[in-house]
Amino acid sequence: WISFEYANDDRWYLGRIEERHSTSPAQVRLRLQGMSIQLNEVFPGGFGVAADGMKPHRYAANQQFTHDPDRDIETFDSVASATELVEKLIQQYVVPATQISFEPSLMEAPLQEAALNSLKVRGEESIRSILKELSTRAQGASWGVNEQGQFFFLRRTDQAVAAYREGVNLTDLSEIRDREHLFNLSLIHISEPTRPLYI
């Protein structure tokens, strides 16, 4: 783990070394990732105690699904929104398995919260992939881990959080495009149903 500080107790980065690349003559290049990289390593739920040692975990508004074949062997938690689900996932799975901590003041619900009916996890998806989906449902919430190792899930804001000027605050600026961080979202509203719409 590596942290950078402007002064004592004034940290601006906390992360770990993910890659070490050595070349000759003597040069070493390190690739760092913030603490949120640990979210790739946590897989909530399971297929069953007999299968992989973990119960399926269902999060839902209520236990309406009486004919669910997993009903007697699953763990159930009542949640009503995407934000509440994020809180449960972080407290139940991330905090015990990582160095990431949970701070309730860093959780914000969107102005119009999306309702949540049911979600069952079986250890197939990482917390990171689940959070990507939930942040979209929470109107594009910002999420991650701050420089103190605390998880945050914040509503989208129109206010600038910080400004950095090239040549003043930055000595070098480059852009890398990665499909993992790009997604397309299309919202289509049809006022009068006339004929089927295919996309």
Side-chain angles (χ1 to χ4, degrees):
W1 293 99
I2 292 179
S3 69
F4 296 111
E5 299 179 348
Y6 293 113
N8 286 339
D9 299 323
D10 188 13
R11 182 187 295 162
W12 61 270
Y13 177 82
L14 177 62
R16 71 184 186 190
I17 298 171
E18 288 294 303
E19 182 179 85
R20 180 181 183 273
H21 184 72
S22 301
T23 58
S24 182
Q27 182 183 29
V28 176
R29 180 179 297 165
L30 304 175
R31 181 174 60 84
L32 306 178
Q33 290 279 0
M35 284 189 75
S36 63
I37 196 69
Q38 289 187 311
L39 299 172
N40 287 338
E41 301 161 357
V42 179
F43 295 82
F47 278 96
V49 175
D52 57 13
M54 294 288 291
K55 295 180 179 180
H57 200 146
R58 186 161 65 87
Y59 298 91
N62 53 52
Q63 290 212 32
Q64 290 180 344
F65 306 101
T66 55
H67 299 295
D68 187 337
D70 293 331
R71 185 180 174 90
D72 295 333
I73 63 167
E74 70 186 9
T75 302
F76 172 81
D77 273 298
S78 176
V79 295
S81 67
T83 306
E84 192 177 349
L85 173 56
V86 170
E87 290 183 14
K88 294 272 190 188
L89 287 169
I90 299 302
Q91 291 175 314
Q92 293 171 340
Y93 289 99
V94 175
V95 172
T98 69
Q99 285 80 28
I100 297 170
S101 62
F102 176 76
E103 174 54 52
S105 65
L106 296 176
M107 297 293 298
E108 293 180 346
L111 298 178
Q112 293 181 335
E113 184 82 79
L116 178 74
N117 291 326
S118 180
L119 171 72
K120 184 181 292 187
V121 289
R122 296 179 179 273
E124 298 173 291
E125 289 187 271
S126 70
I127 288 282
R128 186 182 184 96
S129 64
I130 296 170
L131 286 171
K132 285 182 180 181
E133 170 68 20
L134 293 175
S135 67
T136 302
R137 292 182 182 273
Q139 296 181 327
S142 298
W143 59 274
V145 182
N146 68 15
E147 70 280 2
Q148 302 302 323
Q150 301 166 322
F151 179 82
F152 63 86
F153 192 82
L154 305 173
R155 74 174 60 99
R156 185 175 57 193
T157 177
D158 295 331
Q159 305 294 322
V161 176
Y164 303 98
R165 292 186 298 169
E166 191 172 3
V168 177
N169 308 105
L170 304 171
T171 56
D172 187 29
L173 184 64
S174 61
E175 179 185 17
I176 299 174
R177 297 188 181 203
D178 187 337
R179 284 186 60 192
E180 181 188 358
H181 301 106
L182 299 174
F183 65 93
N184 296 319
L185 177 64
S186 297
L187 299 176
I188 300 174
H189 174 73
I190 301 174
S191 57
E192 294 182 15
T194 55
R195 57 185 181 189
L197 178 64
Y198 299 97
I199 299 175

